[in-house]
Amino acid sequence: MVAASFKHVRAWVFDLDNTLYPPSARLFDQIEVKMTDYVAKALNVSTEVADHLRDTYWKRYGTTLAGLMAEHSIDPDPYLEAVHDIDFSVLSPDPTLAARIDALPGRKVVYTNGARPYALKVLEARGLTGLFDAVYGVEHAGYRPKPEQAAFEAIFALDNLAPEFGAMFEDDVRNLAVPHALGMRTVHVGPDPLPAPHIHHHTDDLSDFLSQVI
């Protein structure tokens, strides 16, 4: 039944963080510490205030960076470089996942709210280098983040991707609403199902799910 739902798909779009690696790696914990530190120094506020702003902007704008740009005119590139300067050794290669991604028919794309150089390092640590036809970061959408419709439209136009023949894999359910509205097959990747009209499928194991699709 799962395979039948994806017979029309010719473009496979994957989020990066907590999607192409398990949340148990806690990679984003490192990034959040870096974000809070950057916000504290850039805005000259306490760590407590910075952490509150980090979370508030993420909820309000989709990313902390988007909030910093909107409300404080922060330069995005130094920020992205600083917050992604982390330890990737907590990630390990997943040859089974690599083989299942490789077996997908059609175009394979990574689209993250992080930066492309960071995404490439994650893919390398996971043993997924060379499997994707394109890797897009927030910079390719003019620093507009998912879940903004303009961000998705910019990336899909850049890739010449037809959403009606696409599937989107995401850990953040907010980021599946626009893909669904554009006609994509949507898959929520996360520990717990969060039912919503814009989610077609849920899985807590991306590799196992892909084995049902191939």
Side-chain angles (χ1 to χ4, degrees):
M1 288 179 62
V2 172
S5 298
F6 291 85
K7 279 188 176 180
H8 68 292
V9 173
R10 290 298 175 266
W12 310 82
V13 184
F14 295 87
D15 175 50
L16 183 76
D17 291 307
N18 296 327
T19 299
L20 289 176
Y21 64 81
S24 58
R26 304 188 71 84
L27 198 67
F28 216 75
D29 286 5
Q30 296 185 58
I31 295 173
E32 287 182 348
V33 171
K34 295 275 187 175
M35 287 178 176
T36 298
D37 184 57
Y38 196 95
V39 172
K41 291 177 180 176
L43 303 184
N44 194 27
V45 297
S46 68
T47 299
E48 291 74 21
V49 170
D51 195 50
H52 173 73
L53 289 174
R54 176 195 60 75
D55 185 60
T56 298
Y57 290 160
W58 175 78
K59 291 175 180 174
R60 185 181 302 164
Y61 293 97
T63 62
T64 299
L65 173 60
L68 290 172
M69 291 178 67
E71 301 202 13
H72 306 282
S73 300
I74 291 292
D75 185 352
D77 291 323
Y79 168 89
L80 288 168
E81 184 176 355
V83 304
H84 291 141
D85 182 18
I86 60 171
D87 176 19
F88 294 92
S89 68
V90 296
L91 299 176
S92 57
D94 189 337
T96 301
L97 176 61
R100 288 171 178 169
I101 291 174
D102 190 44
L104 293 171
R107 187 168 177 81
K108 285 152 276 192
V109 172
V110 172
Y111 173 29
T112 174
N113 270 342
R116 185 176 188 272
Y118 160 74
L120 295 176
K121 291 178 182 178
V122 171
L123 295 178
E124 181 180 13
R126 289 289 282 158
L128 304 177
T129 298
L131 295 179
F132 296 94
D133 298 287
V135 178
Y136 298 108
V138 67
E139 65 269 36
H140 296 103
Y143 300 100
R144 294 184 300 269
K146 298 179 281 184
E148 287 186 26
Q149 182 164 337
F152 285 101
E153 289 176 344
I155 296 301
F156 294 165
L158 186 62
D159 197 73
N160 197 29
L161 187 154
E164 63 270 24
F165 296 106
M168 184 84 199
F169 296 80
E170 262 277 358
D171 72 300
D172 190 336
V173 296
R174 299 179 302 172
N175 297 342
L176 290 171
V178 169
H180 180 273
L182 294 175
M184 299 184 82
R185 181 66 51 177
T186 57
V187 184
H188 173 224
V189 182
D192 302 307
L194 298 171
H198 62 273
I199 297 173
H200 292 121
H201 306 274
H202 167 265
T203 182
D204 60 1
D205 186 330
L206 177 60
S207 183
D208 179 69
F209 187 84
L210 292 180
S211 75
Q212 302 173 52
V213 171
I214 300 167

